[in-house]
Amino acid sequence: MSPDHKDHEYGFGTRAIHAGAIPDPVTGARATPIHQTTSFVFDSADHAASLFNLQTFGNVYSRISNPTVAVLEERVASLEGGRAALACATGMAAQMTALLAILKNGDHIVAASTLYGGSIGQLGIGFSRLGIETTFVDPQDTENFRRAIRPNTRAVYGETIGNPLVNVLDIEAVATVAHDHGIPLVIDNTVASPYLCNPFAFGADIVVHSATKYLGGHGTTMAGVVVESGKFDWGSPQSRDKFPEMLEPSRAYHGVKFYETFGDFGYTMKARMEVNRTFGATLSPLNAWLILQGIETLHLRMQAHCRNAMQVAQFLEQHPLVSWVNYPGLATSPHHALAKKQFRTIDGAPGCSGILTFGIKAADAARAGERFIDACEFMSHLANIGDAKTLVIHPASTTHRQLSEDELQRAGVRPDMIRLSVGIEDAQDILWDIDQALKQAVA
Ligand SMILES: *Cc1c(COP(=O)(O)O)cnc(C)c1O
C-alpha cells in the first residue's frame, strides 16, 4: 500500500488484508510477525530520552505499544475510517479506556438503556464507584438523550446494534444531540462490525469494539479496540471548559498537552499514555495477531453471517411454533428503515449482522426456551456472539441474570427470549437444527 498512489482508494476487503502491515523490513516475512517481547532496545541515551518525552515515535515497553499490536490498531482505524486506534485486552477494557480518557470523578454519562449487559454493569455500577454517574435512557426516542444531559455530562454512549435487543440506534440524530452540548458520541460498533457500518460517517466521534466477536470471528481470542475519528474539536468554545485535561499539561504524563501536541490523534495518545499505560489493560501481541488473522476474512464472513441470519429470520417468521422474531433485516422490523440508512446493502437488503432473537409459542414460553436450547444439535449453548459457529442462549437466565426485573424490562429482555448468533455454516443445516429443536421444545 504505497503512499505514492494517493489518488487510489482501496476497498474494504483489500484494507482488511493489508492496512497497517508491510512485509517485515528485516526478515522479509510476509505475514505480520508476532513481536513477543516486553521491551525494545534504545539506539542511544538521546533516543531513549526523546522516546520518553514523546518527541520520537517508537516502542519502549509493550504495555504502552508493540509493533504487532500497532498493525491491528492501524488496520481497525482504516476499516472504521478513523484517524487512530488503541487496542486493549478485552472489549470491556476498551470501553473503560475510551471513557476514562475523558471522564473523572464528578462527571456524568448519558447511555442507551439497551446496552450489552456487561456494559450496563460497567457504566452503572463500576463507574459509580469512581464517582462517575450514568443515566440510562430509552434510545428509541433520541430526545431522551437530550433531556438527560446535565452540565457535568462528558459523553453520550450507545451501540450501533443493541445486544440482545437488536435495536438500531439513529447515530446521526444522537450525534447531533451530543454535539449541541459540545460532548463526544461514543459508539460500540461490535455487533455491526466496520464492514456493515462506519459510525464516523454518521457523526460519531469515538468507536469501541469488542474484537472478541466479529473482528476475531472464531471465538478464540479476547480483545478490544478504541478508535478516534480525529474530527472532534476539544478546543472549541463549547468543549474547552468541559475537557481541560485534553488541553492542559498532563500531570499523568510529563506535562504533555495532548490536543496541542498530537492534534487529531490527541485523544488516542491520552487514552494510551494516561489510561492504558497507567491501568494496564494492554493487548498481548499474540492475541493481536489472532485478531488480525480474523480480520483478513471479515468482509467475507459478515456477508455470510448476514445472508444466513436473513434466511433464519424469514424461516422463523413463518414457523408455526414461533410467536415473534426480531431482526432489523426483516421489512416488518421497526428498525428496518434505520438499518437501510446506516448499513451496507447485502443481496438487496440492509446487512444486519448475525444476531437475532425470537420467542417460542408455548403455554410456558420460558420453559420452552430452556428446552429448545437443550435440544440443539450443533448450535452451541454459550455466552458469546460473532463466532463462525452458530451460538444460542437464553439471556434472562444467563447473560442478563444479574439485572433486576426492572432493568430486564428496560433492556427489553423478555423471559421467553432466545438469542441466536447465526454462524457461517450451511444455512440448510442451521434451519434444520432450529426446526428439530423447536419441535422438541414443545413436545
Ligand atoms: C462482548 C461485548 C462487549 C464486551 O467485550 P469483551 O471482549 O467480552 O470484554 C461489549 N459490547 C458488546 C456489544 C459486546 O457484545
Side-chain angles (χ1 to χ4, degrees), residues 89-93 95 115-116 118-119 157 159 161-163 188-191 209-213 221-224 384-385 419:
T90 63
M92 295 300 279
Q95 296 175 190
L115 297 181
Y116 168 71
S119 306
Y157 193 94
E159 293 173 344
I161 302 179
N163 164 18
D188 180 338
N189 197 32
T190 298
V191 175
H209 278 284
S210 168
T212 311
K213 315 294 170 53
T221 310
M222 307 290 304
N384 191 24
I385 57 165
R419 183 188 75 194

Side-chain angles (χ1 to χ4, degrees), residues 210-222 290-298 301-302 305 384-391 421-424:
S210 168
T212 311
K213 315 294 170 53
Y214 288 107
L215 292 177
H218 297 79
T220 61
T221 310
M222 307 290 304
L290 287 162
I291 300 292
L292 280 168
Q293 287 299 109
I295 290 177
E296 291 196 5
T297 56
L298 178 66
R301 285 185 290 104
M302 290 317 293
H305 281 294
N384 191 24
I385 57 165
D387 194 323
K389 304 161 200 73
T390 297
L391 316 175
S421 173
V422 179
I424 59 173

Side-chain angles (χ1 to χ4, degrees), residues 162-166 313 316 322 324-328 330 354-359 393 395 412 414 416-421:
N163 164 18
L165 206 62
V166 291
L316 290 170
V322 171
W324 56 271
V325 187
N326 193 6
Y327 185 62
L330 293 173
I355 317 297
L356 58 86
T357 56
F358 68 97
I393 204 160
R414 309 189 203 181
D416 63 334
M417 175 191 279
I418 294 195
R419 183 188 75 194
L420 281 175
S421 173

Side-chain angles (χ1 to χ4, degrees), residues 268-285:
T268 303
M269 287 300 284
K270 189 170 191 289
R272 183 185 299 281
M273 303 316 282
E274 285 191 353
V275 188
N276 227 20
R277 171 176 157 275
T278 305
F279 292 94
T282 310
L283 184 63
S284 78

Side-chain angles (χ1 to χ4, degrees), residues 103-384:
L103 286 136
K104 60 181 182 310
N105 185 354
D107 289 344
H108 176 245
I109 304 168
V110 178
S113 60
T114 52
L115 297 181
Y116 168 71
S119 306
I120 293 202
Q122 181 180 82
L123 272 59
I125 300 167
F127 279 5
S128 79
R129 293 207 176 113
L130 307 177
I132 298 167
E133 205 189 328
T134 301
T135 304
F136 294 101
V137 301
D138 178 352
Q140 267 352 94
D141 180 358
T142 305
E143 286 307 300
N144 288 338
F145 288 93
R146 190 184 300 279
R147 282 189 277 271
I149 287 179
R150 304 176 188 166
N152 63 338
T153 305
R154 294 292 177 268
V156 176
Y157 193 94
E159 293 173 344
T160 313
I161 302 179
N163 164 18
L165 206 62
V166 291
N167 53 318
V168 180
L169 188 76
D170 188 339
I171 298 172
E172 197 168 19
V174 181
T176 300
V177 170
H179 296 162
D180 284 350
H181 293 85
I183 51 184
L185 173 63
V186 184
I187 291 290
D188 180 338
N189 197 32
T190 298
V191 175
S193 89
Y195 182 67
L196 298 177
C197 180
N198 288 141
F200 294 148
F202 300 98
D205 305 288
I206 296 157
V207 162
V208 294
H209 278 284
S210 168
T212 311
K213 315 294 170 53
Y214 288 107
L215 292 177
H218 297 79
T220 61
T221 310
M222 307 290 304
V225 187
V226 184
V227 196
E228 162 177 35
S229 73
K231 302 216 172 81
F232 191 83
D233 184 1
W234 306 95
S236 78
Q238 245 195 326
S239 305
R240 203 165 46 211
D241 299 336
K242 293 189 162 154
F243 303 99
E245 290 90 354
M246 282 298 301
L247 309 174
E248 291 164 5
S250 168
R251 280 209 303 141
Y253 201 81
H254 300 237
V256 167
K257 295 180 183 171
F258 283 103
Y259 194 44
E260 182 180 302
T261 310
F262 301 107
D264 59 2
F265 62 103
Y267 163 84
T268 303
M269 287 300 284
K270 189 170 191 289
R272 183 185 299 281
M273 303 316 282
E274 285 191 353
V275 188
N276 227 20
R277 171 176 157 275
T278 305
F279 292 94
T282 310
L283 184 63
S284 78
L286 176 59
N287 281 3
W289 187 86
L290 287 162
I291 300 292
L292 280 168
Q293 287 299 109
I295 290 177
E296 291 196 5
T297 56
L298 178 66
H299 51 305
L300 303 177
R301 285 185 290 104
M302 290 317 293
Q303 291 167 19
H305 281 294
C306 291
R307 290 196 177 109
N308 278 359
M310 192 66 169
Q311 279 205 52
V312 169
Q314 288 167 342
F315 174 78
L316 290 170
E317 203 175 32
Q318 52 75 45
H319 200 289
L321 296 178
V322 171
S323 55
W324 56 271
V325 187
N326 193 6
Y327 185 62
L330 293 173
T332 50
S333 163
H335 304 288
H336 191 70
L338 264 181
K340 232 174 173 166
K341 172 185 166 187
Q342 296 181 153
F343 303 158
R344 184 190 293 265
T345 302
I346 291 174
D347 293 347
C352 291
S353 192
I355 317 297
L356 58 86
T357 56
F358 68 97
I360 301 174
K361 222 178 258 175
D364 185 349
R367 177 80 193 106
E370 285 174 11
R371 288 177 55 146
F372 173 87
I373 278 165
D374 283 337
C376 294
E377 273 297 326
F378 73 85
M379 299 193 298
S380 313
H381 180 204
L382 55 78
N384 191 24

